[in-house]
Amino acid sequence: MASTKLIAASRNAHELGLLFEVSQILDQSLDLKRIMNPVLETLAKHLALQHATLTLLNRETGEIIIECAHGLSSQQASQGRYQMGEGVTGKVVQSGRPQIIAKTSESPLFVNRTRRLGKKEFSFVCVPVKLGREVIGALSADREYDPDADLDQDLKLLTVIASLISQAVKLRQSAREERRRLEEENERLRAELKNRFRPANIIGTSREMQFVYDQIAQAAKSPVTVLINGETGTGKELVAHAIHYNSDRANKPFIRVHCAALAENVIESELFGLVKGAFTGAVAERKGRFELAHGGTLFFDEIGEVPLNIQTKLLRVLQEREFERVGGTQTIKVNVRLIAATNKNLEQMASTGEFREDLFYRLN
């Protein structure tokens, strides 16, 4: 009696260890394919299984397909396709009830679609994977036939693990739905911005304004750098928005840099980012505005306020489309369209040395 209790206690401890290990693996990632192989490997190792397989139901086609498997080659796994009600797996998914096949050779239900079993006799256990009352797939395993094997205990363990898997699937579905909702909301906001900043929303019907509209349309079709001149309050940023949201970069970021509002000692890290430890207080790596605008448009408001030493680095980015973060050595390449605005006479500033002449002509 004491020996039986010790064996039972040892088995319970072993099973608890298995469930704990599986739950830890499931918490590691939202990518189901990435975590399921380790889960099946752990399951096979703890229960001395030959194979362990997760199949999922494709609602669109009605097919039940192997999502991942332990002990099967990729070719074998690709053959694991079942219709609803076909074979043990199809029956389990159709009925939502588990199945135990003590001897696979004696069961007409076992179709061995993956051709994984040789001449040896095997036992097969399959349980449904459910989300609430809905069956979304099946978890199955087989081991070499042993008349003393406790297949009912295998079934109980597989049922618990299938429940853990279903919760993981539910979390991942929720995350995927939330991501889809955010993407749709993002697209809606982009459409609103595009509508808000279209040239038709810029007030004015004079010949001069029509000339501005024509320039916006021309600039929007081209990837070239644009320089917008005008007094404060004349709508330079509105024009920059209109160019961006009517260009082929409309679905990419529009990042603004207000040069006059940035202190000279921080403007470089704001533009190019920094690496951890670049200077006192740089406790984490940070992307700059150029990286954030990758694929889209970077708008320099009041570019005449950019210090001369930064202008040199800005010219390099315009010419080479590459830079290094502050304190870093890795060269970062970007695809950014630059729009600059100023209320100053940059040509006059260039002639007096207050603004780099080569940068002015690059912008203009």
Side-chain angles (χ1 to χ4, degrees):
M1 181 68 70
S3 176
T4 303
K5 288 183 178 180
L6 284 173
I7 292 172
S10 176
R11 183 177 63 195
N12 289 338
H14 184 75
E15 291 172 357
L16 285 173
L18 166 62
L19 295 176
F20 178 72
E21 192 171 340
V22 167
S23 65
Q24 281 192 314
I25 295 171
L26 289 171
D27 284 340
Q28 288 177 4
S29 173
L30 286 175
D31 186 344
L32 190 64
K33 288 187 176 181
R34 180 180 173 185
I35 60 173
M36 276 314 304
N37 281 323
V39 166
L40 296 181
E41 288 173 11
T42 300
L43 180 63
K45 178 184 69 176
H46 277 264
L47 300 182
L49 303 174
Q50 287 289 117
H51 310 94
T53 304
L54 173 69
T55 54
L56 294 180
L57 173 64
N58 185 323
R59 287 293 181 188
E60 294 181 2
T61 64
E63 257 192 327
I64 303 161
I65 303 170
I66 290 180
E67 178 73 11
C68 51
H70 169 77
L72 296 181
S73 67
S74 56
Q75 183 178 0
Q76 287 175 315
S78 67
Q79 294 169 347
R81 295 173 175 267
Y82 309 89
Q83 296 299 320
M84 192 73 78
E86 180 186 19
V88 181
T89 301
K91 287 284 186 184
V92 168
V93 174
Q94 184 181 56
S95 67
R97 293 192 296 271
Q99 289 270 359
I100 294 177
I101 308 297
K103 286 186 178 181
T104 53
S105 64
E106 296 178 358
S107 173
L109 278 179
F110 189 77
V111 295
N112 194 19
R113 185 63 51 78
T114 58
R115 301 288 187 270
R116 63 184 183 267
L117 305 184
K119 295 180 180 180
K120 292 182 179 179
E121 191 68 71
F122 284 84
S123 299
F124 185 76
V125 180
C126 185
V127 301
V129 178
K130 298 180 179 180
L131 274 181
R133 295 183 178 181
E134 180 188 7
V135 180
I136 61 170
L139 179 65
S140 61
D142 54 66
R143 61 162 75 241
E144 287 190 28
Y145 173 70
D146 179 357
D148 297 323
D150 191 346
L151 298 180
D152 286 326
Q153 191 64 23
D154 285 352
L155 184 143
K156 290 177 183 177
L157 262 177
L158 286 179
T159 301
V160 174
I161 292 173
S163 177
L164 292 175
I165 291 171
S166 69
Q167 291 305 309
V169 171
K170 184 177 182 179
L171 287 172
R172 284 149 185 78
Q173 282 186 342
S174 298
R176 188 162 57 246
E177 289 169 2
E178 178 66 11
R179 185 167 61 249
R180 189 183 302 117
R181 187 190 68 77
L182 290 173
E183 287 172 353
E184 290 172 356
E185 177 70 6
N186 195 31
E187 285 301 313
R188 184 186 68 78
L189 291 173
R190 285 184 186 277
E192 284 186 6
L193 282 171
K194 186 172 182 178
N195 186 59
R196 178 184 174 190
F197 293 111
R198 71 184 192 276
N201 280 356
I202 302 176
I203 298 172
T205 57
S206 66
R207 184 177 62 182
E208 288 79 6
M209 286 306 299
Q210 188 58 55
F211 177 68
V212 171
Y213 299 149
D214 291 342
Q215 286 189 313
I216 289 173
Q218 184 178 356
K221 297 176 184 177
S222 168
V224 298
T225 299
V226 175
L227 178 61
I228 305 170
N229 290 290
E231 295 299 321
T232 300
T234 54
K236 297 188 292 297
E237 185 172 352
L238 197 62
V239 171
H241 274 285
I243 293 172
H244 172 74
Y245 286 108
N246 286 276
S247 73
D248 58 2
R249 296 174 181 261
N251 292 325
K252 299 296 183 179
F254 179 92
I255 303 296
R256 180 175 181 260
V257 182
H258 189 2
C259 303
L262 294 176
E264 185 173 346
N265 62 336
V266 301
I267 190 169
E268 184 177 4
S269 61
E270 284 293 323
L271 293 180
F272 307 116
L274 56 85
V275 298
K276 183 178 179 181
F279 50 77
T280 303
V283 295
E285 183 177 273
R286 192 178 78 222
K287 290 183 178 181
R289 306 291 176 91
F290 271 101
E291 282 183 85
L292 294 175
H294 181 66
T297 301
L298 184 59
F299 174 54
F300 273 81
D301 194 10
E302 303 302 343
I303 195 168
E305 303 292 338
V306 175
L308 283 169
N309 64 316
I310 304 298
Q311 290 179 26
T312 303
K313 296 183 178 183
L314 183 57
L315 180 63
R316 180 200 168 193
V317 181
L318 287 175
Q319 292 175 335
E320 308 295 336
R321 303 294 174 179
E322 63 183 32
F323 62 92
E324 289 82 35
R325 290 177 180 166
V326 175
T329 57
Q330 180 184 357
T331 299
I332 298 171
K333 293 187 176 293
V334 288
N335 173 17
V336 172
R337 198 258 182 94
L338 187 69
I339 299 178
T342 183
N343 62 359
K344 295 185 175 182
N345 187 333
L346 293 189
E347 187 172 11
Q348 183 178 339
M349 291 177 67
S351 65
T352 60
E354 298 174 80
F355 197 87
R356 286 187 65 104
E357 187 176 11
D358 47 3
L359 178 57
F360 167 67
Y361 286 110
R362 185 76 185 183
L363 291 171
N364 202 31

